[in-house]
Amino acid sequence: MLLSSSLKFSHELMEKSLKPGDRALDCTAGNGKDTLHLANLVGPEGKVVAVDIQKEALEKTKNLLQEKKVIHRVDLIQGDHRNLDELTHGPFKVITFNLGYLPGGDHGVVTDPESTILAIRKSVKMLAPGGLITIVAYHGHPEGKAELVALEKFLPTLNQNEISVLQYRFINQANNPPILFALAAPGDDHCPDL
Ligand SMILES: C[S@@+](CC[C@H](N)C(=O)[O-])C[C@H]1O[C@@H](n2cnc3c(N)ncnc32)[C@H](O)[C@@H]1O
């Protein structure tokens, strides 16, 4: 289909944004699929920082990256992304969030609106000129629904001169397909008065 799923579209935007040698940040490493995509895009000279609150998730990510032979491109950090500015430093060309719980893991450990919004605020400050933040939100479970409500309230308040916010969602599909928010920072050539 011409219109990609939210997850696929987020990966396509990463492909457009990243070039070899860039730095990228995954704020929810989980099973490592997004981290792997970023590691492939930044190439051997680039760097990916991958954060997750759970040791189990980082183990899974590490195993996948080792299997694909790109582990040396990635720094794995266990921590709560609400403390992002203490865990790592910018600038990053791409920052990604894939919200919710670890598939196949403990559903009790789930992203929460307060820490997600704190982490997004910090991410905006860590973004390189022309950079991209992607947030994939799953709203088929109660915590995810509440998180989506919070994001839909918070994201429109971001200053349009600092960041543009896109919401990408299918409005006629069953089973609550995930929703993508894509945030793009102006490039070096941006002039807010024009
Ligand atoms: C949907 S999964 C991520 C999927 C992953 N990106 C992938 O490609 O497999 C969400 C992850 O967020 C993590 N998480 C939940 N709350 C967090 C927090 N406050 N800080 C960092 N990670 C968190 C969970 O442990 C879980 O692994």
Side-chain angles (χ1 to χ4, degrees):
M1 184 173 69
L2 180 64
L3 299 176
S4 303
S5 70
S6 290
L7 188 60
K8 178 134 193 303
F9 190 43
S10 76
H11 282 198
E12 289 165 2
L13 291 174
M14 291 171 193
E15 286 155 28
K16 279 185 81 172
S17 301
L18 285 172
K19 58 182 188 335
D22 279 342
R23 295 180 78 233
L25 170 63
D26 186 346
C27 294
T28 51
N31 287 320
K33 291 182 189 160
D34 295 312
T35 306
L36 174 64
H37 191 59
L38 294 171
N40 285 332
L41 293 171
V42 300
E45 308 301 326
K47 184 55 84 183
V48 179
V49 177
V51 174
D52 202 287
I53 202 164
Q54 290 189 81
K55 192 166 187 283
E56 183 192 348
L58 291 173
E59 282 299 320
K60 289 186 169 182
T61 298
K62 188 175 161 193
N63 291 342
L64 180 66
L65 298 171
Q66 276 173 338
E67 186 192 317
K68 301 294 181 186
K69 304 197 183 342
V70 291
I71 185 72
H72 51 283
R73 301 180 191 176
V74 181
D75 291 337
L76 298 167
I77 300 176
Q78 188 177 355
D80 188 327
H81 50 219
R82 71 164 57 230
N83 304 318
L84 210 51
D85 50 346
E86 292 162 27
L87 300 174
T88 187
H89 62 86
F92 293 101
K93 197 67 198 293
V94 166
I95 302 177
T96 188
F97 293 80
N98 193 319
L99 302 176
Y101 49 77
L102 179 66
D106 180 356
H107 288 198
V109 183
V110 61
T111 53
D112 73 276
E114 198 207 331
S115 57
T116 300
I117 287 171
L118 262 172
I120 294 169
R121 280 191 192 283
K122 292 179 177 181
S123 297
V124 171
K125 305 272 175 239
M126 290 180 170
L127 208 53
L132 166 79
I133 300 174
T134 64
I135 306 158
V136 177
Y138 299 82
H139 56 115
H141 58 101
E143 296 91 343
K145 269 196 175 60
E147 195 165 38
L148 178 63
V149 169
L151 286 171
E152 285 181 326
K153 196 167 161 201
F154 162 66
L155 290 171
T157 68
L158 291 173
N159 182 338
Q160 70 172 62
N161 290 320
E162 286 173 27
I163 198 116
S164 298
V165 184
L166 168 81
Q167 185 177 29
Y168 179 86
R169 70 188 299 172
F170 290 92
I171 57 174
N172 70 335
Q173 287 186 351
N175 303 322
N176 306 307
I179 293 169
L180 169 68
F181 297 94
L183 284 57
D188 280 327
D189 53 352
H190 172 72
C191 177
D193 296 325
L194 290 180

